[in-house]
Amino acid sequence: MDINLPMPAVSASVSCMDLGHFYNHIKKVEESSAAFFHYDVVDGKFNKCYILGDMLCEYLHNNTKLPVEVHLAVYDIDNYIDVFAGKGVDYIAVHYEAMEKPAIIFNKIKKLGMQPVLAYRADTPPQEDFVELARQCAWILKLTVNPGFSGQTIKPTAVEHIKMMKKMLDDNNVDKRIQADGNVNPATTKMLAEAGASIFTGGTSGLFVQNYSIEENIKKLLQPTKDFF
Ligand SMILES: O=C(CO)[C@@H](O)[C@H](O)COP(=O)(O)O
């Protein structure tokens, strides 16, 4: 599925959803203006936790019309791509730090009918080949915290890396968007947008905030960014 992504866009981080009432929560996200689901997969090595499996991903796909982006925070990327390929995934974000030959991985993802997203960790600055890689993928995913855990504080260097990446893209006329993931909330979206992000992945701190609807939370997230779009 090709998305017509709104500008700016908000995606919903599945690892922060109420998995005990998953179906109902999927429907609540669908009622909002969230553009897609962001589905974190961590292998216990890339970071010290194990989330989320392929079967839950298939369940999500079977119960939503929204696109699904799987974020592979894993080392054995090849194997995970094979596992998730049949599960209704639209976008697969793969980490620069875990790829020896990114172009080969991107081609494999495309051959399997999905679109690659280039991901890089909070402490990794943009590398020389990022512009060329950006040309080959749907967008770029910048982790602003360590992948997998909710409730962390944004890393200031990650915001700098977004700024650097945006400049590299603009200098080379590459029209690709940057997604920010981690500690996205009304206090951080302004600096993220100013740095160059235009896709915001919401989790516990900004999107699934109790006592407010998801749509109310999206409005609160995007209000501070209004001067940038
Ligand atoms: O799980 C992660 C971090 O990789 C994200 O996908 C969520 O976005 C975290 O949300 P916050 O709890 O930081 O708001």
Side-chain angles (χ1 to χ4, degrees), residues 1 5-8 22 27-28 40 47 52 56 68 70-71 74 86 100 128 139 145 152 160 207 218:
M1 185 193 306
L5 264 191
M7 180 64 117
F22 194 33
K27 295 299 132 189
K28 285 195 173 141
D40 281 321
N47 203 12
L52 293 158
L56 190 71
V68 177
V70 164
H71 167 208
V74 307
E100 261 178 47
E128 243 176 57
W139 59 76
V145 299
Q152 301 172 72
E160 280 309 305
L207 190 62
I218 290 178

Side-chain angles (χ1 to χ4, degrees), residues 13 15-16 38 40 145-151 181-183 201 203-205:
S13 183
S15 64
C16 300
H38 172 84
D40 281 321
V145 299
N146 290 325
F149 294 103
S150 55
D181 177 27
N183 198 210
T201 298
T204 53
S205 70

